[in-house]
C-alpha cells in the first residue's frame, strides 16, 4: 500500500485502485498548493434585505491551479483536505488573507460590519488556531466583535465537551459564532443553550423552494422563531430570487446572502462593488 516518502509525499503502487491513486495524487497536489499558498479568497457580501445595505461578507476559499489558472471549488478539495488533515493549514491561510483584506477595506473607510470565516471541525480542536486567530486580529487591529466564525452542527457534535470549552474561549475574546447549515445536522437543540452562539444560518436547502414549498415555509419560519426566542440573530443563505428575499424579510429574517444580491467575488471586484455603493 502507500507509505510516506522521504519528502513526506506518498508513493503509489500497482495494487492500488484507480480511485485511491487519484486521491493520493490529489493529496500531494493539495500539499504542494499549501506550500505555495495557491489559495485565493472570494467574498460573498451579506445584505440587509430591508434596507439593501451591505452588512458583511463571507470568506470562501478557491484553489488556483498555477498552471491553468483554473479555480477549483472547495467541494472538490475540502473533503479530501479534511480527511488528510490539511484543512487546518488551508484555513490558516484563508483566515490570514481574509482578515488582512477586511482590515484594508475598513482602513479605506468602508463600513462593513462583519467578516465571516468558515471553521472546519479540525480547527476547533487546534489550540494553535485559536492563538493564531487572536494574534491575527490584533496584528490588523480588528475589533474581535466584527469577526464571526461559522461552525456546523456536525463540528460541534463531534466532540461537544471540548467544543464548548474552545467556543467559550473564542466568545470570551469577543469573536462571534454562527451555526452554519442550520437544520441539516442531526443534533439536539439542547446545545444551542449551552454554547455561546450568536447567530443561526438557515441552510440553502430550506431556502431553495421558498415561498412555494409548504414544508420549507414551515421550517424556515420555525428557525426564525427559534432564533428570536433564543435572542439569536438569523441569516438566510442561498437566496436567489426576489420572492425568496421578500418572503424572508416579511417573516423577520432581514440578513440575506445569495446570488440575488451577489455571487462570491474576488477581492478586486468587492472593492469595486463597495466603491460603487459609496
Ligand atoms: P457554505 O459555508 O455553506 O458556503 C455557501 C456556499 O453556497 C458557497 O459555495 C457559495 O458560493 C454558495 N452560494 C452562495 N449563494 C448561493 C446561491 O444563491 N445559490 C447557490 N446555489 N449557491 C450559493 P462554495 O464557495 O463552493 O463553498 C462550498 C462549501 O465549502 C462552503 O459551504 C463551506 O462549507 C466550504 N468552504 C468554503 N470555504 C471554506 C474555507 O475557507 N474553510 C472551510 N473549512 N470550508 C470552506
Ligand atoms: Ca459558511
Ligand atoms: Ca452553509
Ligand atoms: Ca418538500
Amino acid at each position: 500500500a502507500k507509505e510516506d516518502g522521504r519528502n513526506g509525499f506518498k508513493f503509489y503502487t500497482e495494487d492500488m485502485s484507480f480511485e485511491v491513486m487519484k486521491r493520493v495524487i490529489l493529496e500531494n497536489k493539495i500539499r504542494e498548493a499549501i506550500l505555495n499558498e495557491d489559495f485565493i479568497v472570494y467574498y460573498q457580501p451579506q445584505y440587509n434585505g430591508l434596507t439593501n445595505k451591505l452588512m458583511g461578507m463571507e470568506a470562501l476559499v478557491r484553489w488556483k491551479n498555477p498552471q491553468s489558472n483554473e479555480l477549483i471549488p472547495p467541494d472538490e478539495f475540502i473533503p479530501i483536505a479534511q480527511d488528510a488533515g490539511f484543512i487546518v493549514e488551508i484555513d490558516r491561510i484563508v483566515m490570514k488573507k481574509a482578515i488582512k483584506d477586511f482590515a484594508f477595506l475598513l482602513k479605506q473607510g468602508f463600513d462593513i460590519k462583519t467578516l465571516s470565516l468558515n471553521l472546519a471541525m479540525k480547527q476547533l480542536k487546534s489550540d494553535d488556531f485559536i492563538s493564531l486567530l487572536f494574534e491575527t486580529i490584533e496584528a490588523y487591529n480588528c475589533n474581535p466583535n466584527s469577526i464571526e466564525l461559522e461552525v456546523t452542527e456536525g463540528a460541534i457534535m463531534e466532540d461537544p465537551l471540548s467544543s464548548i470549552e474552545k467556543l467559550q474561549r473564542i466568545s470570551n475574546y469577543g469573536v462571534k459564532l454562527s451555526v452554519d447549515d442550520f437544520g441539516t445536522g442531526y443534533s439536539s437543540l439542547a446545545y444551542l443553550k449551552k454554547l455561546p452562539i450568536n447567530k443561526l444560518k438557515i441552510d440553502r436547502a430550506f431556502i431553495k423552494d421558498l415561498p412555494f414549498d409548504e414544508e420549507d415555509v414551515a421550517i424556515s419560519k420555525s428557525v426564525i422563531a427559534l432564533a428570536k426566542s433564543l435572542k439569536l440573530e438569523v441569516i438566510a443563505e442561498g437566496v436567489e430570487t426576489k420572492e425568496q428575499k421578500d418572503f424572508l424579510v416579511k417573516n423577520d429574517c432581514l440578513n440575506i446572502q445569495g446570488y440575488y444580491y451577489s455571487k462570491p467575488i474576488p477581492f478586486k471586484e468587492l472593492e469595486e462593488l463597495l466603491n460603487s455603493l459609496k
Side-chain angles (χ1 to χ4, degrees):
K2 56 188 173 182
E3 50 184 80
D4 276 350
R6 220 174 359 120
N7 50 11
F9 281 64
K10 287 170 184 162
F11 297 116
Y12 49 87
T13 57
E14 279 165 48
D15 63 341
M16 277 185 176
S17 73
F18 183 65
E19 279 309 309
V20 174
M21 204 168 90
K22 251 176 43 188
R23 197 177 171 94
V24 171
I25 291 172
L26 199 52
E27 274 183 24
N28 285 337
K29 283 196 171 158
I30 296 173
R31 203 191 295 250
E32 222 176 271
I34 289 167
L35 292 175
N36 299 331
E37 302 217 349
D38 287 335
F39 296 95
I40 56 173
V41 185
Y42 270 42
Y43 298 97
Q44 187 172 34
Q46 300 164 334
Y47 285 77
N48 178 313
L50 196 61
T51 60
N52 293 318
K53 193 176 172 316
L54 191 153
M55 304 300 289
M57 60 199 216
E58 177 177 3
L60 293 157
V61 68
R62 302 288 180 264
W63 175 9
K64 189 171 187 177
N65 182 323
Q67 276 89 46
S68 63
N69 272 344
E70 176 203 10
L71 291 184
I72 305 159
D75 290 339
E76 283 176 37
F77 63 91
I78 295 251
I80 294 165
Q82 293 253 25
D83 289 350
F86 301 152
I87 189 66
V88 180
E89 298 302 325
I90 296 173
D91 278 355
R92 249 182 224 161
I93 296 170
V94 172
M95 182 194 73
K96 283 198 272 186
K97 285 192 176 165
I99 291 179
K100 182 174 171 217
D101 285 350
F102 182 56
F104 181 76
L105 293 174
L106 295 183
K107 225 171 116 190
Q108 284 179 274
F110 295 117
D111 175 27
I112 311 165
K113 301 277 184 263
T114 55
L115 166 69
S116 303
L117 301 166
N118 289 285
L119 186 65
M121 307 191 192
K122 289 220 164 68
Q123 292 289 31
L124 210 50
K125 299 204 171 131
S126 148
D127 283 315
D128 285 2
F129 176 77
I130 299 184
S131 4
L132 188 67
L133 172 71
F134 296 172
E135 278 165 29
T136 311
I137 288 174
E138 272 153 41
Y140 290 101
N141 249 317
C142 280
N143 181 348
N145 284 288
S146 63
I147 309 288
E148 175 181 86
L149 298 182
E150 298 192 358
V151 277
T152 60
E153 293 166 76
I156 297 165
M157 295 321 285
E158 189 168 278
D159 189 354
L161 277 179
S162 113
S163 305
I164 291 178
E165 191 261 327
K166 298 276 160 64
L167 295 177
Q168 198 63 59
R169 271 179 66 198
I170 292 171
S171 168
N172 289 346
Y173 185 76
V175 169
K176 300 274 201 274
L177 293 163
S178 166
V179 183
D180 206 352
D181 304 340
F182 188 76
T184 60
Y186 80 102
S187 59
S188 80
L189 294 176
Y191 75 94
L192 287 178
K193 223 172 54 178
K194 296 205 184 88
L195 295 175
I197 285 162
N198 305 92
K199 194 186 275 184
L200 303 180
K201 194 166 199 179
I202 311 173
D203 191 67
R204 159 165 110 234
F206 306 121
I207 305 298
K208 201 165 54 76
D209 297 321
L210 290 181
F212 310 106
D213 185 290
E214 274 176 46
E215 289 140 349
D216 290 338
V217 165
I219 292 169
S220 51
K221 280 185 176 173
S222 313
V223 176
I224 296 166
L226 178 69
K228 198 178 217 169
S229 61
L230 292 172
K231 299 196 169 59
L232 303 174
E233 285 187 64
V234 63
I235 182 167
E237 71 177 356
V239 178
E240 296 184 357
T241 68
K242 185 169 188 308
E243 287 81 5
Q244 292 167 346
K245 195 263 296 175
D246 288 344
F247 171 88
L248 289 158
V249 169
K250 200 177 78 197
N251 286 283
D252 259 352
C253 175
L254 301 188
N255 297 310
I256 306 288
Q257 180 179 350
Y259 298 169
Y260 173 71
Y261 282 112
S262 170
K263 292 198 167 181
I265 48 179
F267 183 68
K268 268 260 155 317
E269 265 178 59
L270 178 69
E271 256 188 312
E272 283 163 22
L273 172 69
L274 287 163
N275 271 310
S276 76
L277 297 175
K278 248 188 186 166

